[in-house]
């Protein structure tokens, strides 16, 4: 923090606020510390203060660990933590939670369901990431440029968006999946982009409408008057205000990729050459009649629960992210680190409380602020 010099001048006058100069300078280390506090620590505390975020982060961490275990087990240099699924790993149709050797049971052909779930996780995570990133990058970029530049650029981009919106997504995906069968096999990134082939259009139009409002803001006008380039203005003044909406759409599209991929794999539309949660459900229904057979129901239930937990964690993360982008809550958490005394916590609504006070309790009114009768 800087301190101004308000000492009297030698000519007998005092230094005005406009002439005051800080006698303490902020160094590069202080700037780095402030950046880490503002962009990493404060968002982390805001996110972790919400029970929904704690559940979501815990569940997502479990999926990342499963993906890591599958990657290490499949590598030639790594230890085999969970073996790859293969026929006759165990007896047929062992129920879930019956044995420690096969905790999630086995399939009709003796595959370990735990091995199938774990080794299907990396491809699913790649698919989700590719589809969500493609949608957000294309939609946000085109919407921002169209809304900020306006004129002919806006007309061309919005015409492209209208064309994409009029194309039915599911029939287009089925046609492309049939035409690109050789390219899709074993490539989860391409499948993720294919499932989001026209999802970017709706995001682009929504972002454009927000940029049309932001480009007339005073601070954006001031940046243009100062001669800053278009890229700088968009990066510093416009995009930060769009991040809450863009982040929510990232999570929304990730859930759409999960449901789309599992559904199309279950229906046999998408080609595959490795185990997949949708393929597991298809095999459970077609090979053992898991829908009506209690002995094989666990074969269908395990991948369904896996999909539901992943989708639920993303939903909880999106709901808790609303507080993350609330500038008032973030400002209180930033000031909490440097100003709040030990034993004082920040409540969900951003109010300070001591360790002895329960969360959500009304603070004790300050006697100094009581109004006289």
């Amino acid at each position: 923090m800087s301190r101004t010099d308000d000492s009297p001048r030698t000519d007998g006058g005092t230094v005005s606020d406009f002439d005051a100069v800080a006698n303490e300078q902020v160094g590069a280390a202080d700037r780095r510390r402030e950046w880490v506090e503002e962009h990493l620590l404060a968002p982390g505390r805001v996110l972790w203060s919400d029970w929904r975020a704690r559940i979501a982060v815990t569940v997502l961490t479990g999926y990342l660990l499963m993906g890591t275990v599958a990657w290490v087990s499949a590598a030639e240099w790594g230890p085999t933590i969970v073996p790859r699924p293969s026929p006759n790993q165990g007896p047929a149709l062992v129920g879930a939670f019956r044995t420690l050797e096969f905790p999630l049971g086995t399939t009709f052909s003796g595959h370990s369901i735990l091995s199938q779930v774990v080794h299907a996780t990396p491809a699913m995570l790649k698919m989700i990431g590719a589809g969500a990133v493609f949608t957000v990058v294309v939609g946000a970029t085109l919407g921002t440029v169209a809304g900020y530049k306006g004129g002919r650029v806006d007309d061309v981009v919005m015409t492209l968006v209208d064309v994409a919106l009029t194309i039915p997504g599911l029939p287009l995906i089925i046609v492309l999946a049939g035409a690109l069968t050789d390219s899709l096999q074993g490539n989860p990134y391409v499948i993720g982009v294919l499932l989001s082939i026209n999802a970017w259009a709706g995001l682009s139009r929504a972002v454009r409408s927000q940029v049309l409002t932001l480009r007339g803001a005073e601070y954006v006008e001031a940046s243009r008057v100062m001669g800053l380039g278009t890229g700088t203005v968009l990066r510093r003044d416009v995009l930060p205000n769009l991040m809450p909406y863009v982040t929510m759409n990232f999570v929304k599209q990730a859930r759409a990729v999960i449901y789309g991929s599992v559904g199309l794999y279950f229906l046999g539309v998408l080609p595959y050459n490795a185990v997949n949660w949708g393929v597991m459900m298809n095999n459970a229904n077609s090979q053992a009649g898991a829908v009506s057979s209690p002995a094989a129901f666990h074969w269908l239930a395990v991948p369904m629960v896996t999909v539901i937990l992943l989708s639920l964690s993303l939903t909880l993360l999106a709901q808790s992210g609303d507080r993350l982008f609330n500038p008032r809550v973030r400002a209180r958490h930033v000031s909490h680190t440097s100003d709040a005394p030990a034993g004082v916590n920040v409540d969900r609504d951003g109010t300070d409380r001591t360790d002895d006070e329960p969360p959500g309790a009304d603070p004790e009114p300050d006697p100094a602020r009581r109004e006289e009768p």
Side-chain angles (χ1 to χ4, degrees):
M1 300 292 292
S2 62
R3 181 167 56 86
T4 58
D5 185 4
D6 55 353
S7 59
R9 297 186 307 189
T10 55
D11 58 356
T14 56
V15 179
S16 67
D17 293 339
F18 295 101
D19 295 333
V21 178
N23 54 9
E24 294 182 4
Q25 296 182 351
V26 179
D30 296 330
R31 293 193 183 94
R32 285 196 296 270
R33 186 164 50 251
E34 291 178 357
W35 188 92
V36 170
E37 172 64 29
E38 181 180 359
H39 294 87
L40 297 179
L41 298 182
R45 282 192 295 271
V46 173
L47 201 62
W48 195 250
S49 64
D50 195 314
W51 64 270
R52 296 167 298 187
R54 291 196 291 271
I55 295 176
V57 171
T58 303
V59 175
L60 291 176
T61 303
Y63 281 89
L64 292 176
L65 287 177
M66 281 201 301
T68 305
V69 167
W71 175 64
V72 172
S73 300
E76 297 180 354
W77 48 266
T80 304
I81 303 174
V82 176
R84 289 186 178 184
S86 60
N88 301 321
Q89 282 183 291
L93 294 180
V94 175
F97 310 114
R98 302 289 179 83
T99 65
L100 292 177
E101 186 177 5
F102 305 104
L104 299 181
T106 61
T107 66
F108 183 75
S109 55
H111 289 84
S112 171
I113 295 180
L114 176 62
S115 298
Q116 289 187 331
V117 170
V118 170
H119 283 270
T121 302
M124 181 59 71
L125 295 181
K126 294 175 184 176
M127 207 179 302
I128 295 171
V133 170
F134 171 78
T135 301
V136 168
V137 171
V138 176
T141 301
L142 292 180
T144 303
V145 173
Y148 186 79
K149 298 295 290 184
R152 191 177 298 276
V153 175
D154 187 21
D155 295 339
V156 172
V157 173
M158 286 302 103
T159 302
L160 183 63
V161 168
D162 291 338
V163 172
L165 287 174
T166 56
I167 299 176
L170 182 59
L172 177 63
I173 293 173
I174 294 175
V175 171
L176 292 177
L180 303 174
T181 302
D182 296 335
S183 301
L184 295 179
Q185 287 189 357
N187 196 331
Y189 298 108
V190 178
I191 295 177
V193 173
L194 175 66
L195 294 173
S196 310
I197 191 65
N198 65 342
W200 56 269
L203 175 62
S204 180
R205 179 167 287 281
V207 169
R208 170 185 174 270
S209 64
Q210 295 194 21
V211 174
L212 287 176
T213 304
L214 291 173
R215 73 175 183 179
E218 294 180 354
Y219 59 91
V220 178
E221 292 284 354
S223 298
R224 282 199 292 264
V225 171
M226 292 170 62
L228 299 180
T230 301
T232 304
V233 174
L234 292 178
R235 186 175 66 255
R236 294 183 178 180
D237 297 335
V238 177
L239 286 179
N241 294 282
L242 301 176
M243 287 310 296
Y245 187 76
V246 171
T247 304
M248 296 303 110
N249 275 272
F250 181 90
V251 177
K252 176 184 175 183
Q253 186 57 31
R255 295 175 63 244
V257 172
I258 295 172
Y259 290 131
S261 62
V262 171
L264 293 178
Y265 275 121
F266 179 80
L267 296 174
V269 174
L270 292 176
Y272 64 92
N273 58 2
V275 66
N276 182 276
W277 299 338
V279 177
M280 290 176 64
M281 288 190 281
N282 184 308
N283 292 336
N285 184 48
S286 61
Q287 297 180 12
V291 175
S292 58
S293 173
F297 183 73
H298 66 281
W299 189 0
L300 178 65
V302 170
M304 287 180 61
V305 173
T306 306
V307 171
I308 291 173
L309 284 179
L310 181 56
S311 176
L312 178 63
S313 63
L314 292 174
T315 302
L316 293 177
L317 186 64
Q319 292 178 351
S320 60
D322 182 53
R323 297 182 68 247
L324 179 64
F325 296 107
N326 188 327
R328 177 175 175 271
V329 177
R330 288 188 59 176
R332 295 300 297 268
H333 278 265
V334 171
S335 61
H336 168 70
T337 299
S338 56
D339 301 335
V344 176
N345 301 319
V346 178
D347 210 342
R348 289 189 55 183
D349 57 356
T351 58
D352 293 342
R353 63 178 176 81
T354 62
D355 292 337
D356 298 333
E357 296 175 348
D362 294 334
E364 186 71 19
D366 187 359
R369 296 183 179 179
R370 291 177 180 173
E371 298 180 355
E372 295 294 337

